[in-house]
Amino acid sequence: AADDYRIQTNESAYDFIEILCHDSEFSLAFIDYVLGDPHPRLAFQIRALIPKVRGADPSEYEKVGIACAKHPKFDVAWGGAHGVSIGLNLNSPIPEDIAVLRVFGLHPDPNVRRLAVHGAARVGRCPKFARSAIEIIAKVDIAGQQHIADEVREAFGPHGIPTTNLTHDEVESILNQLVSVDHVHDSEYGFLFRGIGEIAPDLLQRFFFRRLKRSAEVSDGEIFGYSH
């Protein structure tokens, strides 16, 4: 349909969709369309509407956000995750952000989960929501994915959530998942490790031992790229 009328449905479609979303009837229709069986490139543009819904009706935002996170089509979840986690909205978080990000954090696609960590990290900078944000991050399946691991590292970086807010179990969960990640250099992860060392030195010691053991195993198996 859009292609028939030479409407660009790629990245440049964002501004076009955003303008159309000023019309309330179009907004409702577009939500229904995206949550149905949408064209993949148009599905991604739900990112333009989600911030507007959030500002107008937080409860509706929660419903739409969760529906996007649970949608069987990747592009719907991908666009929804962008709409929630990217932009100015999370500078002033609301409870509904936590509810939505919690579901995105369980998505089967690692790229969507990475954005959920990014969003939760931003929300967690607000002390009121730090505990809930940490719970989301700690439950995200890193699955050996470097880009998710790096996002978790950033979440507890110099300008992120203080590691002192982590519980012993949460530290253990995060470190257990970092064991299988290829690159965990001290130059990049040093701030996180120093923070963990202050609250759970026993877990950090066990983590480094497991990393060394894993390094020896993958070296014997000629798996390259893994470093400790």
Side-chain angles (χ1 to χ4, degrees), residues 9-20:
T9 54
N10 56 17
E11 187 74 18
S12 64
Y14 178 88
D15 292 338
F16 177 72
I17 295 294
E18 186 179 37
I19 291 172
L20 291 177

Side-chain angles (χ1 to χ4, degrees), residues 128-181:
K128 178 181 177 181
F129 296 102
R131 173 90 314 259
S132 296
I134 289 172
E135 290 172 357
I136 292 172
I137 296 169
K139 291 179 180 178
V140 167
D141 183 9
I142 295 177
Q145 298 290 317
Q146 188 72 53
H147 62 318
I148 302 181
D150 290 345
E151 201 71 63
V152 171
R153 178 201 74 207
E154 288 293 327
F156 300 101
H159 305 291
I161 305 170
T163 53
T164 51
N165 289 343
L166 287 163
T167 67
H168 195 271
D169 287 344
E170 287 163 348
V171 171
E172 185 172 28
S173 175
I174 291 171
L175 290 180
N176 283 345
Q177 294 208 66
L178 291 180
V179 170
S180 61
V181 175

Side-chain angles (χ1 to χ4, degrees), residues 98-113:
I98 292 293
V100 173
L101 288 166
R102 184 175 288 117
V103 183
F104 274 114
L106 301 175
H107 196 275
D109 188 273
N111 294 296
V112 174
R113 297 200 302 276

Side-chain angles (χ1 to χ4, degrees), residues 20-200:
L20 291 177
C21 286
H22 288 297
D23 181 89
S24 59
E25 290 186 9
F26 174 84
S27 296
L28 293 173
F30 189 61
I31 290 173
D32 288 342
Y33 169 73
V34 170
L35 296 181
D37 185 23
H39 185 292
R41 287 178 291 177
L42 285 175
F44 177 62
Q45 303 307 337
I46 190 67
R47 64 190 178 126
L49 183 55
I50 283 181
K52 297 182 183 300
V53 177
R54 181 183 183 275
D57 186 345
S59 63
E60 182 65 16
Y61 156 70
E62 180 178 343
K63 293 177 184 177
V64 173
I66 291 176
C68 287
K70 292 183 175 181
H71 198 279
K73 285 197 170 185
F74 164 75
D75 295 278
V76 176
W78 187 229
H82 274 78
V84 173
S85 297
I86 306 297
L88 299 177
N89 281 332
L90 295 187
N91 292 343
S92 301
I94 56 177
E96 288 78 7
D97 293 324
I98 292 293
V100 173
L101 288 166
R102 184 175 288 117
V103 183
F104 274 114
L106 301 175
H107 196 275
D109 188 273
N111 294 296
V112 174
R113 297 200 302 276
R114 180 189 67 78
L115 280 183
V117 172
H118 179 78
R122 295 183 62 198
V123 170
R125 292 171 192 159
C126 175
K128 178 181 177 181
F129 296 102
R131 173 90 314 259
S132 296
I134 289 172
E135 290 172 357
I136 292 172
I137 296 169
K139 291 179 180 178
V140 167
D141 183 9
I142 295 177
Q145 298 290 317
Q146 188 72 53
H147 62 318
I148 302 181
D150 290 345
E151 201 71 63
V152 171
R153 178 201 74 207
E154 288 293 327
F156 300 101
H159 305 291
I161 305 170
T163 53
T164 51
N165 289 343
L166 287 163
T167 67
H168 195 271
D169 287 344
E170 287 163 348
V171 171
E172 185 172 28
S173 175
I174 291 171
L175 290 180
N176 283 345
Q177 294 208 66
L178 291 180
V179 170
S180 61
V181 175
D182 282 351
H183 301 289
V184 184
H185 297 297
D186 184 65
S187 60
E188 297 173 344
Y189 283 76
F191 186 88
L192 173 62
F193 292 153
R194 285 191 293 275
I196 289 176
E198 293 176 0
I199 59 174

